[in-house]
Amino acid sequence: VGMNDTDMQYLRGVKNTCQNMMEIGILSTLLLLKETISLSTSILTDSDSFQDVTVKIERPTYQKPFLGGFKNTITGVEFHNAGSQTIPKKRPEKGIQLFCRETQTVFEKNKPQQTRNTTSTQMTKIGVYVSNVTDKLVIPGKYLTAEEYHKRRLEAVIVLQKYFRCWLAINVVQNLRKEKRLRLAWEAQEELQRKKEKEEKLRREHERRLNPKTKDDFELLYHALELWRQEETERINRTFTGAERKAAFCGLLEQEVQLIASIGKHKLNADEENQQKAILRFLDKCAQPKRWRAYDGKVTEMDTQYTLRARELFEIYCSISMNDIPKEERIDVLLTLRRTVKEHECKLTQEIVELIDREVDLMSREVKECNLEGLRKRICTLFLQYIKTPKFNPEVARILKVPPDPLKLYKNVNFCHGCESYLPSNEFPVPANSCTIGRCRLCCKLDNEARRREAFLKYKLILENLRKSEADYQDDAKIVFLVQHEDLQYMIENIWGCQSALSACSDLYDLVMVRWDKQHEWSPWNTILLTKDEADAHLKLCSLEKAYEEAFIHRINHKHIRAKYYYAQIPAMASFLHRKTSTNPKFLQNNRTDMPFQM
């Protein structure tokens, strides 16, 4: 109503456009299924004509960014801002890597600027009054020349340096006092530690003499007995004469016999206790699993059927060796032992089974425990013999000193001229200066207890520490493992005089032997006897000529020459001696100059 032709044409275009928009909205859902969709639509060309046009819609190959939007708070409908469907045009590559300006480092500089501010001053004149209450009166001072200015600055710098150097000196003095205090505290602690170690050593020696258990303990006892006998002999010779002297010697002999008998009783008890400990160590060694070290340092353990068998027998032996256990548990242990030994039929197992049945029968008759001790010891002894048989316990074959095959004994057996027995070679002590095999270890031990009564514990400890220190060098040292404690005793007593080369300390428990020149392996002609603290300081030296005086070095070289003359008579040492001297002509010259010395 009231519309002309132009308005009607406009309405038709709007209608067609709305229809096209609805079609596009319907087809937009198909974009998810197909990348390119072709559709046709009609557009108004003239006043009353339309033309069909094909429109292609391409699905974007990239995710459109979220450009924001808004949400209707009443209906909850979300509206997103639309983005262009046009794929952005890529810039042509120039072959040069480019960076945008935002990634570059920007150096900013703030420079304030001040505009001109025109000011003026007002002076008092006719018709104008200016107050002078706030005015200041400026009086010119003394003129300071450049020379005076620099002189004043120099004096001020000297004052500052004086106080600064005073502060540095105070700090140095405080540090020195602190170091001195720490040093004194450390020395006091070390002295206290040495005192405690000495007291502990004396207490341990006293305990070892009261309750001897090892061979070294009995060596100390016999050595103390010999020292006491020598002191008493000197006192008798100095005090008595004639018949009184003979009577005093007879009394001394009786006392010595009593002391030897008392030592013998202690020895029997210690041997019995040590024998039981040795049996347990032997069985535990058989039951240990196989171990080997991998390339990464980890230790791998593996149990075999033989080690499991040895462990089972070890547990049974520990069970039957226990005392004061209930009757029911004892019967269970005996029955377990009976089943174990009946796996093999022989005379030994039959005897063990008979003894087990006898003990079970006596226990059922309420026989006292004290009357069963002998029977139980027989069972333990026979079962130990059963364990040591390789046929019943294969793992024990690699630990037994006596091999199962008797033919193997003929290859490494020597004759002892003392006890007239054939023993393996490891039972004979062979010093470095020995050319033949003499008496066995047991005969040497008996001879020492009966005659000389010397204690070798101190020399054994020195040799053990020396071998440990040489093993830490890892330079394939050999001579130190050829030397025995008898050879070391000769060196310490006859060459080094049983005292430190520096401080003359004579406590053998505090003395150690180290290399004189740490660049070469230890040998009797490359060693020095020092205390533990002196040895630690000696091994830290870089140059012996700068650290020691020439007279001290000459004295040490003289001791080395004496040791070289002594060990030159030993065939085992001669090869090392010639090898050493052939590589050191200066040492040969020193030997020729000191040849007049005689042992």
Side-chain angles (χ1 to χ4, degrees):
V1 179
M3 293 185 182
N4 52 21
D5 294 338
T6 304
D7 296 335
M8 292 298 293
Q9 185 178 357
Y10 174 74
L11 290 175
R12 291 193 195 97
V14 171
K15 179 180 178 181
N16 294 332
T17 303
C18 293
Q19 291 178 356
N20 294 336
M21 292 297 292
M22 291 177 63
E23 293 177 357
I24 293 173
I26 293 171
L27 294 176
S28 62
T29 59
L30 299 176
L31 292 175
L32 301 174
L33 302 176
K34 191 174 183 181
E35 294 183 355
T36 304
I37 299 176
S38 300
L39 54 90
S40 60
T41 183
S42 299
I43 61 174
L44 182 64
T45 58
D46 295 332
S47 59
D48 292 329
S49 63
F50 294 91
Q51 182 181 356
D52 294 333
V53 180
T54 302
V55 180
K56 292 184 179 181
I57 302 176
E58 294 182 358
R59 183 180 177 182
T61 58
Y62 65 96
Q63 186 178 1
K64 294 182 180 181
F66 177 70
L67 302 178
F70 59 92
K71 179 179 180 182
N72 193 336
T73 58
I74 299 176
T75 62
V77 180
E78 296 182 358
F79 300 92
H80 294 175
N81 296 333
S84 174
Q85 293 182 350
T86 305
I87 300 176
K89 184 179 180 181
K90 294 185 177 179
R91 296 182 180 180
E93 296 184 359
K94 299 180 180 180
I96 303 174
Q97 189 177 5
L98 302 177
F99 299 94
C100 62
R101 186 175 183 275
E102 285 74 8
T103 61
Q104 302 298 318
T105 304
V106 180
F107 295 96
E108 297 182 356
K109 182 178 180 181
N110 296 329
K111 184 177 181 181
Q113 293 182 353
Q114 186 176 2
T115 60
R116 293 182 178 181
N117 187 12
T118 305
T119 60
S120 61
T121 58
Q122 181 66 49
M123 302 298 295
T124 302
K125 64 178 184 177
I126 300 173
V128 178
Y129 171 75
V130 179
S131 177
N132 57 358
V133 176
T134 59
D135 291 349
K136 294 181 180 179
L137 183 62
V138 178
I139 302 175
K142 183 180 178 182
Y143 178 73
L144 190 65
T145 62
E147 183 179 356
E148 294 176 349
Y149 172 77
H150 289 297
K151 181 179 179 182
R152 191 188 206 173
R153 298 265 302 179
L154 180 60
E155 292 176 355
V157 168
I158 292 174
V159 172
L160 290 176
Q161 287 183 350
K162 180 178 66 174
Y163 284 101
F164 178 71
R165 290 175 181 175
C166 179
W167 177 77
L168 288 179
I170 291 173
N171 288 340
V172 170
V173 171
Q174 289 179 353
N175 292 333
L176 290 176
R177 288 176 179 174
K178 183 179 179 180
E179 292 178 0
K180 179 182 178 182
R181 185 173 65 254
L182 293 177
R183 177 70 182 184
L184 293 177
W186 178 80
E187 290 180 355
Q189 185 178 1
E190 289 294 321
E191 185 66 24
L192 183 62
Q193 184 69 20
R194 284 193 292 267
K195 186 177 180 181
K196 288 183 179 180
E197 289 179 357
K198 188 175 182 180
E199 292 177 355
E200 180 66 19
K201 181 183 67 176
L202 294 176
R203 186 194 64 78
R204 197 162 52 245
E205 286 187 359
H206 184 67
E207 181 67 22
R208 294 174 71 175
R209 292 181 181 181
L210 290 179
N211 299 313
K213 295 181 180 180
T214 62
K215 296 179 181 179
D216 296 331
D217 297 345
F218 287 102
E219 279 187 0
L220 290 177
L221 271 181
Y222 281 110
H223 183 64
L225 176 63
E226 179 64 19
L227 293 179
W228 171 80
R229 189 189 66 81
Q230 292 177 2
E231 291 179 359
E232 290 296 320
T233 301
E234 292 179 0
R235 184 183 63 82
I236 291 172
N237 289 331
R238 187 174 60 253
T239 306
F240 303 103
T241 57
E244 294 181 355
R245 179 171 173 270
K246 292 182 179 180
F249 276 126
C250 290
L252 177 62
L253 182 61
E254 291 178 359
Q255 293 180 8
E256 185 179 1
V257 170
Q258 291 178 1
L259 292 175
I260 293 175
S262 177
I263 294 174
K265 292 180 181 179
H266 284 287
K267 196 172 184 180
L268 291 176
N269 297 333
D271 289 342
E272 183 178 358
E273 184 179 354
N274 293 335
Q275 183 180 6
Q276 186 64 23
K277 291 181 179 179
I279 292 173
L280 295 178
R281 284 196 301 268
F282 174 79
L283 298 179
D284 182 67
K285 189 176 181 180
C286 293
Q288 290 296 324
K290 306 293 183 181
R291 293 186 179 90
W292 64 88
R293 189 179 298 276
Y295 67 94
D296 55 353
K298 295 182 179 179
V299 179
T300 305
E301 296 183 354
M302 181 185 69
D303 282 317
T304 63
Q305 57 179 351
Y306 297 148
T307 57
L308 294 176
R309 172 69 175 177
R311 192 174 304 160
E312 179 186 359
L313 297 177
F314 177 43
E315 292 175 356
I316 296 175
Y317 181 83
C318 292
S319 300
I320 66 172
S321 301
M322 294 176 61
N323 298 324
D324 301 330
I325 61 175
K327 180 179 178 181
E328 293 77 9
E329 294 183 8
R330 179 70 183 180
I331 294 176
D332 292 341
V333 172
L334 292 176
L335 294 178
T336 304
L337 175 60
R338 192 175 188 274
R339 288 194 300 270
T340 303
V341 298
K342 285 198 71 175
E343 296 176 358
H344 305 86
E345 291 293 337
C346 64
K347 185 178 179 180
L348 177 61
T349 57
Q350 291 175 1
E351 188 175 356
I352 294 175
V353 171
E354 291 177 0
L355 293 177
I356 291 174
D357 294 339
R358 188 184 305 173
E359 183 178 355
V360 172
D361 182 49
L362 292 176
M363 290 177 65
S364 63
R365 297 183 182 183
E366 302 295 336
V367 178
K368 294 181 179 180
E369 297 286 336
C370 59
N371 296 329
L372 297 176
E373 291 182 0
L375 180 59
R376 291 176 177 176
K377 287 184 179 179
R378 288 185 61 191
I379 294 175
C380 290
T381 304
L382 292 178
F383 184 59
L384 180 61
Q385 185 178 352
Y386 174 87
I387 295 175
K388 289 184 178 181
T389 306
K391 181 180 178 181
F392 310 136
N393 186 13
E395 188 66 20
V396 81
R398 66 180 183 87
I399 302 177
L400 287 175
K401 293 183 179 180
V402 180
D405 187 6
L407 296 178
K408 295 182 179 180
L409 292 173
Y410 300 149
K411 299 180 182 179
N412 199 12
V413 174
N414 297 292
F415 180 73
C416 175
H417 298 279
C419 58
E420 298 182 354
S421 301
Y422 289 94
L423 300 172
S425 59
N426 57 1
E427 294 294 332
F428 292 85
V430 183
N433 60 348
S434 178
C435 299
T436 59
I437 297 178
R439 294 176 298 179
C440 64
R441 297 182 186 274
L442 182 59
C443 293
C444 295
K445 177 173 168 293
L446 291 176
D447 181 71
N448 182 46
E449 292 176 357
R451 299 182 182 181
R452 296 176 297 171
R453 295 174 182 171
E454 295 181 354
F456 302 102
L457 178 61
K458 299 177 182 180
Y459 305 104
K460 290 179 180 178
L461 292 177
I462 295 176
L463 182 60
E464 182 180 356
N465 294 331
L466 176 60
R467 287 178 175 176
K468 287 181 180 179
S469 62
E470 286 297 307
D472 293 338
Y473 282 103
Q474 297 181 356
D475 56 355
D476 196 18
K478 299 178 181 179
I479 301 178
V480 67
F481 298 100
L482 297 176
V483 176
Q484 303 298 322
H485 67 270
E486 294 89 351
D487 308 316
L488 198 69
Q489 180 184 4
Y490 175 84
M491 290 175 54
I492 293 175
E493 292 181 354
N494 297 279
I495 297 178
W496 296 95
C498 293
Q499 62 182 7
S500 170
L502 282 174
S503 60
C505 176
S506 59
D507 186 8
L508 291 180
Y509 284 107
D510 194 37
L511 295 180
V512 292
M513 267 195 166
V514 294
R515 297 181 179 185
W516 168 250
D517 184 4
K518 60 182 179 181
Q519 303 299 329
H520 301 87
E521 70 168 311
W522 183 92
S523 61
W525 49 89
N526 184 33
T527 184
I528 184 172
L529 185 64
L530 300 170
T531 62
K532 295 178 180 179
D533 298 335
E534 294 169 355
D536 294 338
H538 173 77
L539 294 177
K540 294 178 182 178
L541 298 177
C542 298
S543 175
L544 299 177
E545 289 77 9
K546 295 180 180 179
Y548 299 118
E549 296 180 355
E550 185 178 357
F552 179 79
I553 295 176
H554 180 73
R555 188 164 66 251
I556 298 300
N557 289 334
H558 187 267
K559 294 181 183 296
H560 291 167
I561 294 171
R562 292 180 59 186
K564 184 168 281 195
Y565 281 139
Y566 175 74
Y567 285 99
Q569 308 169 6
I570 304 172
M573 290 288 186
S575 59
F576 297 100
L577 183 64
H578 294 321
R579 184 179 63 183
K580 180 69 178 178
T581 55
S582 62
T583 58
N584 194 350
K586 184 178 179 180
F587 199 84
L588 278 174
Q589 184 179 0
N590 292 336
N591 280 346
R592 295 192 188 99
T593 56
D594 292 337
M595 282 295 289
F597 174 78
Q598 296 181 358
M599 293 290 294

